[in-house]
Amino acid sequence: MTTTITLIPGDGIGPEISSAVQKIIKAAGVEIDWDIQTAGADVAQEEGSPLPQRVIDSIKKNKIALKAPVTTPIGKGFRSVNVALRKELDLYANLRPCKNIKGIKTPFDNVDIVVVRENTEDLYAGIERKIDENTAESIKIITRKASTRIARYAFDYAAANNRHTVHAVSKANICKFSDGLFLECCKSVSKDYPQIEYKEILVDNLCMQLVQNPQKFDVLVLPNLYGDIVSDLTAGLIGGLGVAQGANIGENCAVFEPVHGSAPDIKGQNKANPTALLLCAINMLKHINETDKAQKIENALFRVIKDGRVLTPDLGGTATTDEYTEEIIKNL
Ligand code: NAI
């Protein structure tokens, strides 16, 4: 059966790694009809918006999207396409699985952490103002609705993926009302999942323990800001940007995207690493129940990395994106 999936090739290295991932998926025998939707700076010039309505409509229709990075101008220009997409589609859960890949040297082995970050509120709600020249304020919004929804997502994920523990992360000793409410919601949801251990931890203590003993953590659920920071920390634990995958999940659709940006410094040089986008695609295939094919691609990818002969420069090799892609295809 052919599934239609929206593909946003992005810009910078986005089109190169998208094309690599499309080739690998096709070689694995998965029938996908890619609904290709451009977005970003070039589109803004041609169509007046970096995220035209057709992109939103396509994702709403297909319910699934694979998205490569899109450049965001810093300090000026249009608003981040990524943030706008999350808001337009109410993609309330940001999922970042961080698991060691054999062959990539990291300080720790056996890291297998899933970060579940609330994606819609907290200090990212955008309610801030300058009071006068010397004072500014940002409002941290935490609601029962969003906290319960993300806690439910984290526990459902844990239950469906044979996970044992969910840690709710906060700074409720200081932010007693806002983070206190977040914890209250997590604790209340946890009662519906007696098979999963529920624990609470303060975010500062968590960071310290993550860099000393990351193996003791399983699923983490966090409000937006702590989730943003901690998920980059956990990405660092497993080898950094080139291998860090992510997904933004809503009630009706899901957008799978790597953590890294558009890497303009290596654009068009045939040396971008498509691994993070490929891991996103593998997760996406599992999401649409193409589990066997997803596993087949994952096995081939991990074999190539463990073997270590054909790797892109960021992983310490000399292979081009094309050579690395071909090597994965050979290993399917
Ligand atoms: P970046 O992640 O694009 O690059 C940081 C460094 O990592 C660069 O040296 C780059 O060459 C390297 N790198 C990143 N991905 C790589 C890959 N797949 N293979 C090999 N090397 C890789 O971060 P930067 O430079 O801060 O951002 C560039 C642009 O990307 C900005 O406009 C930023 O706003 C945007 N961005 C977009 C994201 C998205 O669309 N989801 C996420 C993060 C940033």
Side-chain angles (χ1 to χ4, degrees), residues 117-163:
R117 163 186 167 195
E118 203 289 322
N119 228 359
T120 64
E121 55 181 31
D122 195 351
L123 280 164
Y124 291 53
I127 311 171
E128 60 171 4
R129 66 179 179 130
K130 203 163 178 180
I131 296 173
D132 60 38
E133 263 319 292
N134 304 308
T135 320
E137 69 175 5
S138 292
I139 310 277
K140 173 175 166 117
I141 301 282
I142 300 283
T143 65
R144 186 176 298 281
K145 185 174 169 225
S147 304
T148 302
R149 185 163 72 159
I150 198 68
R152 179 78 56 203
Y153 181 87
F155 277 94
D156 279 344
Y157 181 92
N161 291 280
N162 290 322
R163 297 280 176 163

Side-chain angles (χ1 to χ4, degrees), residues 13 67 69-72 82 241 257 259-263 265-266 273:
I13 58 167
K67 179 184 160 297
V70 176
T71 307
T72 308
N82 314 308
L241 287 179
E257 63 173 342
V259 172
H260 66 73
S262 56
D265 53 333
I266 55 166
N273 182 359

Side-chain angles (χ1 to χ4, degrees), residues 18-317:
S18 300
S19 151
V21 167
Q22 281 178 286
K23 278 187 204 152
I24 295 166
I25 290 182
K26 188 165 184 211
V30 191
E31 295 294 331
I32 290 181
D33 179 16
W34 297 104
D35 179 1
I36 296 176
Q37 296 289 334
T38 50
D42 291 348
V43 172
Q45 274 198 343
E46 285 160 24
E47 300 181 44
S49 161
L51 183 65
Q53 188 59 36
R54 61 172 167 76
V55 185
I56 307 284
D57 292 343
S58 162
I59 302 175
K60 280 189 177 159
K61 179 163 70 77
N62 299 325
K63 310 222 178 304
I64 308 274
L66 182 64
K67 179 184 160 297
V70 176
T71 307
T72 308
I74 295 173
K76 59 182 170 57
F78 57 79
R79 191 168 168 238
S80 157
V81 165
N82 314 308
V83 175
L85 255 187
R86 287 171 201 168
K87 202 164 175 111
E88 281 284 333
L89 299 167
D90 193 22
L91 302 171
Y92 68 91
N94 185 268
L95 184 70
R96 298 252 194 113
C98 290
K99 189 173 176 182
N100 274 129
I101 299 175
K102 281 205 174 68
I104 297 182
K105 281 209 186 78
T106 55
F108 301 98
D109 292 329
N110 303 322
V111 175
D112 186 3
I113 299 171
V114 176
V115 179
V116 179
R117 163 186 167 195
E118 203 289 322
N119 228 359
T120 64
E121 55 181 31
D122 195 351
L123 280 164
Y124 291 53
I127 311 171
E128 60 171 4
R129 66 179 179 130
K130 203 163 178 180
I131 296 173
D132 60 38
E133 263 319 292
N134 304 308
T135 320
E137 69 175 5
S138 292
I139 310 277
K140 173 175 166 117
I141 301 282
I142 300 283
T143 65
R144 186 176 298 281
K145 185 174 169 225
S147 304
T148 302
R149 185 163 72 159
I150 198 68
R152 179 78 56 203
Y153 181 87
F155 277 94
D156 279 344
Y157 181 92
N161 291 280
N162 290 322
R163 297 280 176 163
H164 305 294
T165 312
V166 173
H167 273 92
V169 184
S170 77
K171 192 70 189 163
N173 55 334
I174 305 296
C175 303
K176 292 182 195 298
F177 291 110
S178 52
D179 283 9
L181 177 59
F182 182 80
L183 280 191
E184 183 192 321
C185 297
C186 291
K187 190 169 191 171
S188 162
V189 168
S190 74
K191 300 216 162 74
D192 295 336
Y193 302 81
Q195 76 279 29
I196 294 165
E197 190 179 6
Y198 171 68
K199 291 184 170 176
E200 294 175 356
I201 187 165
L202 296 177
V203 65
D204 38 0
N205 181 17
L206 171 74
C207 289
M208 192 265 293
Q209 297 205 38
L210 277 174
V211 296
Q212 284 195 321
N213 195 3
Q215 296 92 343
K216 71 190 236 191
F217 295 99
D218 188 355
V219 175
L220 307 174
V221 59
L222 313 90
N224 208 341
L225 177 64
Y226 311 142
D228 192 2
I229 298 165
V230 168
S231 59
D232 270 27
L233 191 162
T234 52
L237 288 175
I238 56 146
L241 287 179
V243 295
Q245 57 159 317
N248 293 295
I249 316 270
E251 307 273 358
N252 301 312
C253 36
V255 176
F256 294 81
E257 63 173 342
V259 172
H260 66 73
S262 56
D265 53 333
I266 55 166
K267 174 187 171 181
Q269 296 174 29
N270 200 11
K271 56 181 180 186
N273 182 359
T275 301
L277 187 65
L278 185 58
L279 286 168
C280 295
I282 290 168
N283 201 9
M284 180 192 80
L285 293 178
K286 290 180 183 163
H287 190 86
I288 59 167
N289 291 325
E290 285 277 12
T291 317
D292 292 349
K293 303 270 172 55
Q295 198 58 56
K296 183 171 155 181
I297 300 174
E298 192 173 87
N299 292 345
L301 169 69
F302 288 171
R303 214 173 295 140
V304 171
I305 295 177
K306 190 173 168 210
D307 183 53
R309 277 181 310 109
V310 184
L311 297 177
T312 46
D314 61 303
L315 293 181

